[in-house]
Amino acid sequence: MASRPRYTLCYVFLTVTEDEIMDSELLQDVFTDETEWVSHSPLQTEPCLPSTPTLESPDDLLQKRTVVLKGVLISEEIYLTELETLLMPMKALKAAAGTSQPLLSTEQVQTVFYQIPELRDLHKDFYTSLRAKLQPDEMMDPGSQQGLETEETPVMQLCHREHHLCVGDLFHKFVNQLGVYRGFIDNYENAVYIVQKCMQSDQRFRTLAESMMSSKGSDNVKTKYTFEALLYKPLDRVMKTTLVLHDLCKHTPPNHPDSSTLQEALRLSSSFLSGVNERSQCKRSVKLSRGERRQLMRDGFIVDVYENGHNLRHLFLYTDMLLCARLTSAGRQAQYRFCWYLPLVGLKLHWAAEHLPSPEYQVKISKTRAKMYQLKQALQQHTKGGKVSVSRAIDRLRRKLEECEIWLLTNTPSFTLDLHSTSGKSHTIRLFSLNDLIEWKEAIEKQSGNCIETVPPDLLSVTSSCIKLRMTQQPPLNRVQSNESSHMCGSLYVMVQSACGLQNPSSAYVCVEVDGFEFYDRRKQTCLSAFCVAPQWDEELVFQVDGARKLLLVFVSQYENDTQDEIVGRAVLNLDTDNMLKKWKKVSCSLGQVDVTLSIKYMPHPLDPPSTAPLVQEPVFCVPIGQVAMQESVLVPHIVRSCVEEIERRGLSEEGIYRISGASTEIQALKHAFNTNYREAVSKLRSVDVNAVSGTLKLYFRELPLPLIPSERFKELADALDIADPYLRADSMLTLLQALPDVNRNTLLFLLHHLRRVAERKEENKMSLSNLATVFGPSLLRPLVARVDISQEVEVQVQVIFLYLQCQNLPEALLTKHLDIDDLET
């Protein structure tokens, strides 16, 4: 069925099982959505129990009763449209049965449409009567409404009308005629068998059965159905009657005239439903196409993200659909409540990394991590004591620790997976790690590729069976083990060096995750590599770990003109403390088609409590380049590498690159992004004009508080320019370059090699070495004291850069510090 906002209440009726009928909270789910797992306060440590319902006033009950009745009216209208669509071909099929080439025989037509006209008539009478009760103004002659106005306020008029609105007799009459459904239910399997058999043997019938169109509804939209799906509608509808009556009874005040009549209707409906369940199990064993049965393929906890918030939920992947449910407790018995479902046929997936939350929310996350750290320390102290008298204290600490973990799982930004159905419905889920994202994505794509369209699922039965079928009992929580000597506790250093094996050029990065307690950040990634087939990073990632056992590596590529990053491959490494204890362990990992080289080192030490201050990225503009490089643990700052790589990806043929200035607004936006959120900055680089990228790089060097080539070297470099012998001059210039601080020297070399690659395309971009030296010289080199003759100063700045660009034996730049060879073990 096509997605329509007015269907919301119809879905609510599918959220309980028959055993839940006497204590359902259906209408509360319409107005509020609370999670029973954990409170919304990150600092609350007491067990989080469902809140006790408050007593409602009669007026509130009557208003909610009206909401239920209007939902019934809407769903009846939809159901009647579906029955009319199902009956539409009946007359033509009967007529064709007497011809030489019938689609169905007369007996088959009678079997397929058995009792359906009677069901249509029953619900049409009920709908007409209920509509007249709920919308009397539309049914009255306009002139008869005169004289009905009173001096009551609108609220008083509404409450007065609701109190005198009686529908119990309609429902009582309707329930007494439910026996019509008994014949349909007994005949259902025979009807489905005929439809499936004729679809396989007759192309004409298959075309009819796969594309039955409804008439235009009130929203002027036609809906496409299959024959099997429409045959299933009455079977699904009859199960809802008892649930609707229960909600009406719940929200009807005891002194209302309808109260006793609705209670009797509920009793009759429940009795009919019990009889149906005892006589027939066909509804619970509906076969999918090709004789298959619905099976659970995977399940696990996720975070359901919606417009106004997010909640912890349980996701179930079946052979033909995804079902999201909420775990609740009725007494001591756990059960699931339906949230939403999506068919797998035609399901589209799109994943993304979430942005950092607001500083205020980061404070909540930091405080919760600090709370977890304190609870774990207290728990370890109690556990070491081993006294029976402290067992209650241990249990209480474990509960509080689990509550904090669940809150972090639910609220910490991670990776999202957008699910888009062909019907127009969409849902977004958040996975707890990149590994979870990949596994769910692969499982859904594999199953949807093998799936064909089936009848709509019996959501009532499927949801109620989840409690028995589930394979995952709890969210992925860590546990304090009695023997933690084999677990890592300290600093884990991961040096991601290079990769090979890419078939096509791309920009790539490696995402690294560790497991263990989430006191500290467990996920980091390298910067984006240059656009090539053999990316190189030489980037060190440092993790504070507690209880880590495994390391996850994911290789992600960004191809030209692709908006979606592609996950190329992943690998999981078991962390062996003996092999990497205080020494580098070189490892080569196969991540799909790509081989990644990295080195790992583990340094054990007691961990400091996590900081409660929000994680704020340090700015990079107007900051000494050595300080920026130290913060990033590199020799060439990320901003320089990112801008250079983006220019080489799409700007080498741009005429006037580095000479033509980009838009000031774009340059300032990039500057702000690099100062506050590096990931956002890299994303912006790909979308702005390439001249804005080159302008940002020039602005970075121009705003350095100390020039890239220290001012103390200005006079020495000027003197070297005066050396007549070109070989001695070049040797002197290189000696002065090698004497620069490590970060300054390698950043300058990295930039010089890039500018030479730009000049190689001078026929296209019109930027020679001389032009590039003129652009960059004044930004990279400045004297201690400005000279009176500015032209002479500029000449030295330009000539120094020009001579370096002309050097034949210019050394290569190091992006990060080399590992100590004596400390490296292969």
Side-chain angles (χ1 to χ4, degrees):
M1 187 187 302
S3 175
R4 303 176 186 174
R6 63 181 187 178
Y7 290 5
T8 303
L9 283 172
C10 305
Y11 281 65
V12 175
F13 300 149
L14 303 176
T15 62
V16 295
T17 63
E18 183 184 350
D19 296 334
E20 293 180 73
I21 287 172
M22 299 314 296
D23 64 344
S24 75
E25 299 292 338
L26 285 177
L27 205 61
Q28 285 192 8
D29 290 339
V30 178
F31 296 103
T32 182
D33 189 13
E34 298 178 351
T35 176
E36 284 74 30
W37 277 103
V38 68
S39 70
H40 293 279
S41 169
L43 301 180
Q44 181 175 340
T45 55
E46 293 303 318
C48 301
L49 302 175
S51 57
T52 304
T54 57
L55 294 177
E56 296 179 282
S57 67
D59 290 348
D60 291 337
L61 286 175
L62 289 173
Q63 290 183 32
K64 291 183 179 181
R65 166 185 151 100
T66 302
V67 172
V68 176
L69 287 172
K70 288 182 178 179
V72 173
L73 190 66
I74 292 172
S75 62
E76 281 293 316
E77 181 184 349
I78 298 167
Y79 181 48
L80 280 171
T81 302
E82 293 165 345
L83 290 178
E84 293 288 357
T85 306
L86 179 58
L87 288 169
M88 209 175 293
M90 184 177 70
K91 186 176 180 179
L93 289 172
K94 279 185 177 180
T99 65
S100 60
Q101 293 183 329
L103 293 178
L104 297 176
S105 67
T106 303
E107 293 77 10
Q108 287 176 328
V109 173
Q110 292 175 349
T111 301
V112 169
F113 294 100
Y114 183 69
Q115 292 290 76
I116 294 176
E118 289 80 2
L119 293 177
R120 186 265 318 272
D121 294 341
L122 169 63
H123 281 271
K124 191 171 184 179
D125 290 343
F126 175 70
Y127 170 76
T128 303
S129 302
L130 184 60
R131 183 170 179 266
K133 293 270 190 178
L134 294 179
Q135 302 173 353
D137 295 343
E138 298 180 12
M139 310 298 290
M140 294 171 61
D141 180 73
S144 65
Q145 299 181 34
Q146 297 180 3
L148 296 181
E149 296 181 1
T150 69
E151 296 182 358
E152 293 178 326
T153 65
V155 175
M156 293 172 61
Q157 292 178 20
L158 178 63
C159 295
H160 179 78
R161 177 176 165 183
E162 288 174 341
H163 187 78
H164 290 85
L165 176 62
C166 295
V167 295
D169 56 335
L170 298 181
F171 280 92
H172 192 273
K173 177 184 176 182
F174 175 76
V175 168
N176 276 307
Q177 300 178 67
L178 281 179
V180 178
Y181 272 96
R182 194 179 300 278
F184 174 84
I185 293 171
D186 293 341
N187 179 70
Y188 174 76
E189 282 190 337
N190 295 329
V192 171
Y193 174 76
I194 291 173
V195 171
Q196 292 178 341
K197 182 178 179 181
C198 292
M199 285 180 65
Q200 295 173 359
S201 61
D202 194 322
Q203 174 64 37
R204 297 172 300 162
F205 185 80
R206 181 162 62 251
T207 303
L208 166 70
E210 290 179 345
S211 57
M212 298 179 68
M213 301 295 295
S214 71
S215 58
K216 291 185 178 180
S218 58
D219 54 3
N220 205 34
V221 174
K222 287 188 176 183
T223 306
K224 184 178 178 180
Y225 300 94
T226 64
F227 210 125
E228 273 191 78
L230 288 171
L231 273 178
Y232 184 78
K233 296 297 181 180
L235 201 62
D236 180 57
R237 186 70 184 177
V238 70
M239 305 298 287
K240 300 175 182 177
T241 305
T242 304
L243 303 176
V244 173
L245 284 168
H246 172 264
D247 275 355
L248 280 176
C249 291
K250 176 181 175 181
H251 297 291
T252 300
N255 61 346
H256 193 282
D258 265 350
S259 181
S260 59
T261 310
L262 289 174
Q263 291 289 347
E264 176 62 15
L266 174 60
R267 187 190 66 79
L268 293 173
S269 178
S270 300
S271 177
F272 173 79
L273 189 62
S274 299
V276 169
N277 286 336
E278 290 174 4
R279 290 186 56 192
S280 175
Q281 294 297 321
C282 69
K283 180 170 183 276
R284 295 177 184 267
S285 60
V286 176
K287 291 184 178 181
L288 306 179
S289 301
R290 299 177 294 184
E292 299 174 358
R293 293 186 180 274
R294 180 173 291 116
Q295 296 180 0
L296 179 65
M297 309 304 293
R298 179 185 175 90
D299 73 295
F301 285 87
I302 52 92
V303 176
D304 185 23
V305 182
Y306 45 91
E307 184 176 359
N308 296 321
H310 52 267
N311 277 304
L312 191 66
R313 295 289 181 256
H314 203 140
L315 189 65
F316 296 86
L317 173 62
Y318 287 91
T319 45
D320 63 331
M321 70 167 182
L322 273 173
L323 184 140
C324 180
R326 177 162 62 101
L327 185 62
T328 64
S329 297
R332 294 185 178 180
Q333 184 178 5
Q335 56 193 18
Y336 283 101
R337 303 285 285 275
F338 172 82
C339 292
W340 51 263
Y341 95 100
L342 290 173
L344 292 184
V345 174
L347 193 64
K348 302 296 183 183
L349 309 181
H350 185 279
W351 72 276
E354 286 189 302
H355 295 301
L356 289 174
S358 64
E360 295 78 10
Y361 211 77
Q362 289 186 52
V363 170
K364 292 183 180 180
I365 294 174
S366 299
K367 287 184 176 180
T368 305
R369 287 177 172 176
K371 183 77 172 180
M372 279 181 61
Y373 180 87
Q374 295 170 1
L375 290 169
K376 182 173 182 286
Q377 296 298 314
L379 185 57
Q380 287 177 330
Q381 293 178 1
H382 281 294
T383 305
K384 290 177 181 178
K387 296 180 180 179
V388 179
S389 59
V390 298
S391 60
R392 289 186 179 180
I394 291 176
D395 291 340
R396 185 169 62 253
L397 288 170
R398 281 178 174 161
R399 285 198 304 270
K400 291 181 178 180
L401 186 59
E402 288 183 4
E403 288 170 3
C404 288
E405 277 198 87
I406 292 174
W407 190 92
L408 281 177
L409 284 174
T410 309
N411 293 276
T412 302
S414 183
F415 295 90
T416 58
L417 187 61
D418 295 330
L419 310 166
H420 303 282
S421 173
T422 53
S423 67
K425 296 179 185 176
S426 297
H427 290 280
T428 298
I429 61 175
R430 178 195 297 158
L431 288 309
F432 305 130
S433 69
L434 188 53
N435 191 49
D436 287 342
L437 170 77
I438 296 172
E439 290 182 350
W440 271 106
K441 182 174 178 290
E442 290 177 348
I444 294 172
E445 289 176 339
K446 178 182 178 181
Q447 196 58 39
S448 61
N450 300 327
C451 181
I452 63 174
E453 188 173 1
T454 63
V455 298
D458 169 15
L459 299 175
L460 183 69
S461 299
V462 175
T463 305
S464 62
S465 65
C466 286
I467 200 69
K468 296 180 180 179
L469 297 177
R470 61 177 179 172
M471 297 174 280
T472 305
Q473 304 293 324
Q474 292 188 31
L477 304 178
N478 288 283
R479 295 289 186 271
V480 178
Q481 307 292 332
S482 57
N483 179 19
E484 295 189 339
S485 58
S486 61
H487 302 167
M488 286 189 171
C489 181
S491 296
L492 182 68
Y493 299 84
V494 181
M495 175 70 77
V496 184
Q497 292 157 320
S498 60
C500 61
L502 279 175
Q503 301 300 314
N504 299 303
S506 74
S507 297
Y509 63 90
V510 177
C511 186
V512 184
E513 286 183 348
V514 294
D515 59 356
F517 283 95
E518 197 173 347
F519 303 141
Y520 313 91
D521 288 335
R522 300 191 305 183
R523 182 186 310 110
K524 296 186 179 182
Q525 69 182 48
T526 66
C527 64
L528 202 61
S529 74
F531 196 76
C532 59
V533 293
Q536 184 169 349
W537 299 278
D538 290 325
E539 189 170 345
E540 184 179 83
L541 307 176
V542 184
F543 297 88
Q544 301 298 303
V545 295
D546 188 354
R549 297 189 188 90
K550 295 182 178 180
L551 185 75
L552 171 71
L553 302 170
V554 180
F555 189 95
V556 184
S557 284
Q558 294 183 352
Y559 294 99
E560 266 190 305
N561 302 322
D562 282 354
T563 57
Q564 172 75 74
D565 293 353
E566 179 183 338
I567 299 174
V568 177
R570 64 187 174 112
V572 178
L573 300 179
N574 291 319
L575 296 174
D576 186 352
T577 56
D578 294 335
N579 287 337
M580 59 189 68
L581 184 61
K582 299 182 180 181
K583 59 186 178 184
W584 289 101
K585 173 71 174 179
K586 191 172 184 179
V587 181
S588 181
C589 299
S590 178
L591 281 67
Q593 67 184 38
V594 177
D595 292 328
V596 175
T597 302
L598 66 151
S599 298
I600 309 173
K601 181 172 68 173
Y602 168 54
M603 300 292 289
H605 60 80
L607 293 172
D608 295 327
S611 172
T612 57
L615 297 174
V616 179
Q617 179 177 308
E618 296 291 336
V620 295
F621 277 81
C622 304
V623 177
I625 193 170
Q627 182 177 331
V628 173
M630 185 173 62
Q631 292 168 0
E632 298 175 352
S633 299
V634 294
L635 290 176
V636 180
H638 289 152
I639 180 175
V640 177
R641 295 170 61 177
S642 299
C643 290
V644 164
E645 287 157 4
E646 185 62 22
I647 291 167
E648 293 192 1
R649 188 175 74 87
R650 59 187 176 99
L652 292 181
S653 60
E654 182 77 14
E655 184 173 343
I657 188 69
Y658 285 121
R659 177 171 51 81
I660 297 176
S661 179
S664 176
T665 53
E666 290 186 334
I667 293 174
Q668 291 302 317
L670 283 172
K671 175 182 176 180
H672 176 74
F674 273 113
N675 275 336
T676 56
N677 189 328
Y678 175 72
R679 287 188 182 180
E680 180 186 348
V682 173
S683 178
K684 283 181 178 292
L685 283 179
R686 303 194 73 191
S687 59
V688 301
D689 178 57
V690 71
N691 288 309
V693 180
S694 63
T696 302
L697 182 61
K698 290 189 296 181
L699 180 65
Y700 172 74
F701 286 119
R702 192 161 59 246
E703 291 190 350
L704 283 175
L706 300 174
L708 184 63
I709 302 177
S711 298
E712 295 82 1
R713 300 292 181 184
F714 187 92
K715 186 178 185 306
E716 296 176 84
L717 289 167
D719 293 340
L721 291 176
D722 293 333
I723 299 176
D725 189 315
Y727 297 102
L728 292 177
R729 183 195 313 129
D731 186 62
S732 177
M733 296 279 290
L734 285 176
T735 300
L736 290 172
L737 188 150
Q738 295 288 6
L740 298 180
D742 287 348
V743 173
N744 301 59
R745 179 180 69 255
N746 285 284
T747 302
L748 178 60
L749 288 171
F750 182 80
L751 179 64
L752 291 172
H753 283 288
H754 161 65
L755 295 179
R756 288 166 68 159
R757 288 190 290 271
V758 172
E760 289 173 0
R761 305 278 290 273
K762 62 183 179 182
E763 297 300 327
E764 300 171 75
N765 57 41
K766 312 301 181 187
M767 293 299 291
S768 62
L769 292 179
S770 175
N771 291 339
L772 292 168
T774 303
V775 171
F776 276 92
S779 298
L780 302 179
L781 176 63
R782 297 192 290 271
L784 282 172
V785 180
R787 297 189 178 187
V788 176
D789 188 351
I790 300 296
S791 60
Q792 185 180 359
E793 177 182 309
V794 172
E795 183 182 355
V796 172
Q797 293 168 329
V798 173
Q799 285 300 313
V800 166
I801 302 303
F802 182 60
L803 285 174
Y804 277 136
L805 287 172
Q806 289 181 309
C807 274
Q808 298 300 318
N809 54 344
L810 193 68
E812 290 291 334
L814 297 178
L815 302 183
T816 59
K817 294 181 180 179
H818 270 311
L819 302 180
D820 187 348
I821 300 300
D822 297 331
D823 199 27
L824 181 64
E825 181 179 301
T826 303

